[in-house]
Amino acid sequence: MNRKNFINTVAAASAVSALGARAAGHAPKSEFKISLAQWSIRNLHRGKEPGADLLDPLDFAKYAKNTCGIDGIEYVNSFYFGKEGDATYFAELKKRAEGEGVKSLLIMCDGCGRVGDPKEASRIETVEKHKPWMAAAAQLGCHSIRVNAGSTGSFEEQQKLAADGLAKLADAAKPYGLNVIVENHGGLSSNGAWLAGVMKMVDLPTVGTLPDFGNFKIDRKTGEEYDRYLGMKELMPFAKGVSAKSHAFDAEGNETKSDYFRIMKIVADSGYRGYVGVEWEGSKPGATEGILLTKALIERAVAEL
């Protein structure tokens, strides 16, 4: 099946699924919307997607809307390194998103230091490194920046350090009208109980989580992994966004490691209503196919709520 036929088939199947759900009296929850995490198209931006042209990061919104039928986007700062502080560039990025009728939701910030660094001077420096991205997020009309709660030390020590760093970030983000949200993203941040504890320590309305369906690996070397369903339950009370991570699909269109139907019930039961972000991290199929499969699976899971 060629790419065009594949896309048409997935779109048709998704529409039939939604109509069937309505006919059965289980209409999809209208409060849920689907967004696209820019990491899903990393290979398109890097020119490493077989058979596809290089995609300019300025055209992220156009791709999301016209190729994937998605009208909410989540930026990744690494695709805009070197543009920090360039208000003209981000004005153009905003113009293009608005021109497509696409809503900018957040910027995922990596490479800005450790929020929970043991040295206070380093935590302060980390805040400074995030400020240009706060300015960009505010200019784009985003509601949040996503940060990483990296640290070292004991379980409790890292909680205290991460909480301190997040409080500092929240204070810096206040003039921009932004939330600061933490993803379970490796190390103790992938331990749901640990990160939920950090949220309770910070106890600020502008600090929350971005629970990721599949990022519960605590130690890549040992393979230690936290229970993803327990982790989602622990992190959802603080969620200001949700990331639907996907790596591979079976013949029925289900993700091979995460039960989306079970997870979306956890999401819904928490009271969260809002965007669920597609984050395709697999290698096969390609970016567009992986995104559309993830989108269709989310729609099926929401339709059964």
Side-chain angles (χ1 to χ4, degrees):
M1 185 181 293
N2 64 34
R3 178 174 292 228
K4 182 177 180 181
N5 288 340
F6 175 89
I7 293 171
N8 289 338
T9 299
V10 171
S14 177
V16 169
S17 175
L19 287 171
R22 289 187 179 91
H26 301 290
K29 304 291 185 183
S30 60
E31 301 95 330
F32 287 109
K33 298 180 180 180
I34 295 177
S35 54
L36 179 62
Q38 195 167 18
W39 188 248
S40 303
I41 54 173
R42 60 200 174 281
N43 288 334
L44 288 171
H45 285 328
R46 296 168 176 169
K48 294 183 178 180
E49 182 82 11
D53 295 330
L54 180 70
L55 180 67
D56 190 324
L58 282 170
D59 289 325
F60 176 32
K62 181 179 180 181
Y63 171 87
K65 185 66 174 287
N66 297 333
T67 302
C68 305
I70 294 175
D71 61 5
I73 52 178
E74 304 168 11
Y75 301 93
V76 175
N77 72 332
S78 60
F79 298 117
Y80 304 96
F81 281 168
K83 302 298 183 183
E84 303 96 312
D86 188 343
T88 301
Y89 181 89
F90 287 103
E92 178 64 22
L93 193 60
K94 179 181 181 180
K95 178 182 175 182
R96 295 197 188 192
E98 291 179 342
E100 297 294 340
V102 171
K103 187 174 181 60
S104 297
L105 300 173
L106 58 91
I107 297 181
M108 298 184 180
C109 299
D110 299 310
C112 296
R114 293 190 296 177
V115 170
D117 194 283
K119 296 180 180 179
E120 184 172 16
S122 296
R123 294 198 298 280
I124 292 172
E125 183 182 0
T126 293
V127 172
E128 293 302 312
K129 288 181 178 178
H130 278 90
K131 283 184 177 179
W133 301 112
M134 292 178 187
Q139 186 176 354
L140 289 167
C142 298
H143 63 70
S144 301
I145 59 165
R146 187 277 279 148
V147 304
N148 297 303
S151 186
T152 55
S154 69
F155 187 99
E156 293 79 10
E157 287 170 342
Q158 290 192 50
Q159 280 186 319
K160 292 176 183 177
L161 291 165
D164 180 78
L166 286 169
K168 286 179 168 60
L169 276 169
D171 188 58
K174 195 178 300 182
Y176 298 100
L178 294 169
N179 298 309
V180 175
I181 59 178
V182 184
E183 181 182 354
N184 44 306
H185 211 195
L188 280 175
S189 75
S190 289
N191 179 313
W194 181 88
L195 187 50
V198 171
M199 292 297 110
K200 292 173 184 175
M201 283 184 181
V202 179
D203 192 25
L204 290 172
T206 57
V207 175
T209 59
L210 180 69
D212 185 301
F213 292 12
N215 264 0
F216 286 98
K217 187 162 286 187
I218 296 172
D219 191 323
R220 293 185 181 277
K221 292 182 180 178
T222 65
E224 180 185 0
E225 194 164 340
Y226 198 78
D227 183 280
R228 67 191 63 200
Y229 307 104
L230 173 60
M232 289 297 298
K233 285 181 181 178
E234 291 169 329
L235 298 180
M236 281 309 304
F238 312 97
K240 296 184 183 296
V242 175
S243 185
K245 177 67 60 61
S246 56
H247 290 95
F249 292 89
D250 62 21
E252 285 71 46
N254 293 313
E255 217 282 331
T256 57
K257 292 185 178 181
S258 295
D259 183 340
Y260 271 48
F261 297 89
R262 182 177 175 184
I263 293 178
M264 281 307 303
K265 187 175 187 309
I266 292 170
V267 171
D269 287 349
S270 75
Y272 174 84
R273 296 293 184 272
Y275 282 92
V276 178
V278 171
E279 188 170 35
W280 166 246
E281 202 169 59
S283 55
K284 293 182 180 180
T288 299
E289 292 90 338
I291 290 166
L292 290 176
L293 281 167
T294 308
K295 177 174 179 276
L297 180 55
I298 295 169
E299 290 169 341
R300 285 198 289 129
V302 170
E304 290 196 8
L305 291 173

